[in-house]
């Protein structure tokens, strides 16, 4: 049944991304929501049920707004085409898409939903579920630039500030996703190709980070301190992924941020570029805090493994393929890791 749900999820996303009719796009979004709901509540836990209900209500409200906007556009223009909506239709659909993406100011549901699900489901919500709503913004020829710039900057600011006080890794990754959505929305106003590059980089880095967290069932920041005793290689790749998410040069995450800031400075948007660059500092702080806990601290409690990693040459967890891919994409000098 899970393979059927995953295939339905993929099919509905592709249907939305390839449709040029508002009804088909709305149908794809509804099928996408109905496919992810059983995956979200498979834990049969009250917190998972609460997260599923929050996700369903938000997605249903956003889909109803999209259907209303499409009907309004058909009434005003006589067309159901996505490419040329009116200004009112464009504003309503943009707000509905922001709600589906979990971007500010409609972001409060997003950390709670990720906290109530498993790490694999949180990865699915943070990566694959972004594709269908973003496709609608791509297909609109005249998106509301001012609205996207404002919400993008607000998302980058709130994603960093709200993540400072979090100790749960899933909530930290949720606020990381909110901040990255802000960068992506701003990139969409300047260059769709740059927005695509930002989306691909974000998905690769987020998949690598969730794979590292799921490999050791890491739920809190304190759990990160036990990674070194299980797999030093995973610990090193986690450190690189966190610093890349923070956008430190010369890692991969620095590339889209540099290009976005370059595009903003080439246009008369220098205050926006300055504020956006400063907004990335709070996000960088909690990434560095996670990296510090992972690599530079020794927890007072012991791990659940019977032996330490140096006695386990064959059963130590190995890096996942996505983490290896993320490492290969990082233009950095080789690291000499010496064990004692």
């Amino acid at each position: 049944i899970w393979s059927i749900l995953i295939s339905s999820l993929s099919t509905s996303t592709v249907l939305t991304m390839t449709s040029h009719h508002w009804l088909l796009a709305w149908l794809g979004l509804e099928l996408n929501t109905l496919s992810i709901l059983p995956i979200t509540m498979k834990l049969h836990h009250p917190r998972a049920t609460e997260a599923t209900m929050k996700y369903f209500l938000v997605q249903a409200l956003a889909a109803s707004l999209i259907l209303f906007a499409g009907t309004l556009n058909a009434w005003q223009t006589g067309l159901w085409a996505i490419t040329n909506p009116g200004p009112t239709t464009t504003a309503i659909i943009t707000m509905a898409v922001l709600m589906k993406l979990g971007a500010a100011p409609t972001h409060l549901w997003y950390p709670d939903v990720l906290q109530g699900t498993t790490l694999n489901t949180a990865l699915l919500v943070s990566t694959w579920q972004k594709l269908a709503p973003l496709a609608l913004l791509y297909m609109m020829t005249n998106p509301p630039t001012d609205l996207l710039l404002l919400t993008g900057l607000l998302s980058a600011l709130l994603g960093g500030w709200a993540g400072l006080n979090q100790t749960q890794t899933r909530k930290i990754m949720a606020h990381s996703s909110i901040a990255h959505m802000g960068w992506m929305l701003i990139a969409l106003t300047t260059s769709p190709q740059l927005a695509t590059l930002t989306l691909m980089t974000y998905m690769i880095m987020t998949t690598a980070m969730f794979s590292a967290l799921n490999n050791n069932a890491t739920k809190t920041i304190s759990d990160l301190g036990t990674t070194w005793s299980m797999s030093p290689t995973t610990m090193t790749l986690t450190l690189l992924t966190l610093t890349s998410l923070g956008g430190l040069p010369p890692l991969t995450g620095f590339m889209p941020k540099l290009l976005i800031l370059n595009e903003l400075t080439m246009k008369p948007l220098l205050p926006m570029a300055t504020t956006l660059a400063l907004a990335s500092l709070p996000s960088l702080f909690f990434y560095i805090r996670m990296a510090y806990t992972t690599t530079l601290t020794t927890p007072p409690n012991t791990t659940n493994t019977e032996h330490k990693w140096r006695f386990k040459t064959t059963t130590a967890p190995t890096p996942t393929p996505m983490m290896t891919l993320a490492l290969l994409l990082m233009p950095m000098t080789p690291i000499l890791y010496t064990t004692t």
Side-chain angles (χ1 to χ4, degrees), residues 2 26 31 75 85 102 137 217 222 241 245 262 298 313 336:
W2 298 114
W26 171 80
L31 289 176
W75 176 52
L137 289 180
S222 59
T241 306
L245 277 170
N262 180 57
T298 302
T313 57
L336 179 62

Side-chain angles (χ1 to χ4, degrees), residues 36 39-42 114 117-126:
I36 194 66
I39 302 175
T40 308
M41 62 181 177
K42 69 177 182 178
L114 258 64
T117 60
T118 62
L119 286 168
N120 286 329
T121 308
L123 168 63
L124 199 61
V125 173
S126 299

Side-chain angles (χ1 to χ4, degrees), residues 6 37 45 135 172 203 275:
I6 294 297
L37 291 179
H45 189 273
I172 290 176
M203 291 182 66
T275 311

Side-chain angles (χ1 to χ4, degrees), residues 1-115:
I1 188 173
W2 298 114
S3 60
I4 296 175
L5 289 174
I6 294 297
S7 62
S8 174
L9 191 67
S10 306
T11 305
S12 58
T13 303
V14 173
L15 175 64
T16 304
M17 295 173 65
T18 56
S19 62
H20 294 277
H21 196 284
W22 280 118
L23 284 181
L24 282 179
W26 171 80
L27 178 63
L29 291 173
E30 285 295 299
L31 289 176
N32 187 274
T33 302
L34 293 176
S35 300
I36 194 66
L37 291 179
I39 302 175
T40 308
M41 62 181 177
K42 69 177 182 178
L43 287 178
H44 300 292
H45 189 273
R47 185 170 293 175
T49 306
E50 178 187 355
T52 305
M53 285 302 300
K54 287 180 180 179
Y55 188 80
F56 169 71
L57 292 175
V58 170
Q59 299 296 315
L61 176 60
S64 63
L65 284 176
I66 291 175
L67 182 61
F68 168 71
T71 308
L72 180 64
N73 183 67
W75 176 52
Q76 290 178 342
T77 63
L79 300 173
W80 286 93
I82 296 178
T83 52
N84 292 310
T88 306
T89 304
T90 303
I92 296 175
I93 287 173
T94 303
M95 290 305 300
V97 169
L98 294 178
M99 189 180 300
K100 277 185 167 292
L101 290 174
T106 57
H107 68 285
L108 295 177
W109 62 273
Y110 193 66
D112 292 335
V113 169
L114 258 64
Q115 181 63 26

